[in-house]
Amino acid sequence: MSPLTVVWAYRRTGKFAFHVLTGALETDARAAGVPIVFANGVEAVVAALREALAAGHRVLVGWSFYSPDFALLAAELQQVKARIDAARVLHVAGGVHASAEPEATLRAGFDLVATGDGERLVQDLVHALRTGGEPRAIAGIGWLEAGVLRRNGRAARTALDEFPPFGPAHDRFGPIEITRGCVYACRFCQTPYFAGASFRHRSVANVRHWARYLVGRGFRDFRFLTPTSMSYGATGPEPDLAAVEALLAAVREEIGPQRRLWFGTFPSEVRPEHVTDASLRLLRRWVTNKALILGGQSGSDRVLAASARGHDAATVERATALCLEYGFVPHVDFLFGMPGEAPADVEATLALMDRLVARGAKVHGHTFLPLPGTPFRKAAPGVLTPAMRQRLLAMASKGQLYGQWQQQEVTARELAERR
Ligand code: SF4
């Protein structure tokens, strides 16, 4: 076995992905004894590389980023390589952007890209590097050969139960991922194109196991990661409320009445058509949160249909009213500057937002990003008209609107410029 160190180029935005990969390595006997370093920023990565190389190790440097962070991380890679350019160092980029844009990612200087689910892939990669195997033989790996993209397929989709939801042996925790992939195909969203267009659920028994573990480690807050909270256990768009209740009841039983169970709120959300008397009764019985995050996106039925959201604006309004009736404060997500938005669509969105906040909801604003890998990747970046910006700033100043919508307008432009 050749000595190997794994260095995660560890950033706030991608950190939970690294925790999952860490957990995958922790559970693979073939990776036993491999040091894992969490290196935040260029200086930390360089320091980790120096130490590992001085000890005679090969080094796998893992990078994972979302499309908006690609330029920043590519610049950091260049800074690292300018200081340490050793043949024994392999820079591998994974995650949503590397999967959507493997060639551009490789041209930015990464040695390999890893596309698809990372758990099995990182196990096999570490094993190959320790035993003199060929990393390019691993499913999901891509590379440049004489300037041309070569790929060895996509990594096999994994069952969530097969891996821990985080890296407990390294004290790296995060929300428990209960569902991966999404049956909806909202045209602005990378999730179904990256993680698959079907739901893969972690079993109740497995979630219960990890909830119990976290209780033992002294945790008081329990959060879950899913593209659509009320879809737990479902195979299609129709929620399976019995499955959701079985999950929440099991977690509550493990954590007791005093610890906090967050569901349908950060870091996950609820689709508006899943808000019903039955689903809200269920949530009220089991969860701690008083806020629910609803995906609204637009007040224009035309824009909602064009983005294949699968619900109309009236559903958003109805869901908001029902949440309030049941004592929840809805935080409704909106996307500004959607493709094809005409002045009447903008006005419909602003009017809906006004009606929602008048009822007591909050609005979480985003600006549309033409994300790689999505059907809208070639659309014009989201732009706010001066009149819209004025209305949004007025809402923000009253505490009715929050979010990164101003920064995202800049990011949207940068994404479009890089295509
Ligand atoms: S926006 Fe939500 S519901 Fe739509 S595809 Fe993405 S994850 Fe699924």
Side-chain angles (χ1 to χ4, degrees), residues 386-401:
M388 191 174 187
R389 188 186 311 279
Q390 213 171 14
R391 294 268 292 272
L392 295 177
L393 287 171
M395 285 183 93
S397 72
K398 288 185 236 156
Q400 297 163 336
L401 165 71

Side-chain angles (χ1 to χ4, degrees), residues 66-77:
Y66 296 105
S67 299
D69 294 330
F70 174 50
L72 177 73
L73 274 290
E76 290 197 359
L77 170 72

Side-chain angles (χ1 to χ4, degrees), residues 181-186 188-192 227-228 269 271 297 308-309:
C182 188
V183 300
Y184 300 96
C186 307
F188 49 77
C189 174
Q190 287 178 316
T191 297
T228 135
E269 64 177 46
R271 285 183 58 90
Q297 317 310 356
R309 264 299 285 178

Side-chain angles (χ1 to χ4, degrees), residues 289-313:
N289 42 299
K290 290 285 169 254
L292 287 179
I293 301 181
L294 303 184
Q297 317 310 356
S298 177
S300 158
D301 286 343
R302 202 182 66 80
V303 168
L304 287 168
S307 59
R309 264 299 285 178
H311 62 76
D312 59 10

Side-chain angles (χ1 to χ4, degrees), residues 30 60 90 92 112-115 117-129 131 133-143 150-156:
R30 300 174 302 168
L60 164 63
L90 191 69
V92 181
L112 300 175
V113 287
T115 58
D117 286 351
E119 291 96 330
R120 185 90 60 215
L121 189 153
V122 78
Q123 290 180 337
D124 291 345
L125 189 54
V126 163
H127 181 64
L129 293 175
T131 56
E134 174 49 76
R136 296 171 191 195
I138 296 168
I141 292 291
W143 65 97
R150 301 276 179 221
R151 312 180 67 160
N152 190 7
R154 268 182 91 93

Side-chain angles (χ1 to χ4, degrees), residues 241-271:
L241 291 187
V244 177
E245 179 133 46
L247 173 78
L248 297 180
V251 172
R252 184 50 88 191
E253 193 175 293
E254 289 299 335
I255 71 176
Q258 301 305 327
R259 293 183 186 82
R260 293 179 291 259
L261 195 173
W262 306 90
F263 194 85
T265 186
F266 180 80
S268 298
E269 64 177 46
V270 178
R271 285 183 58 90

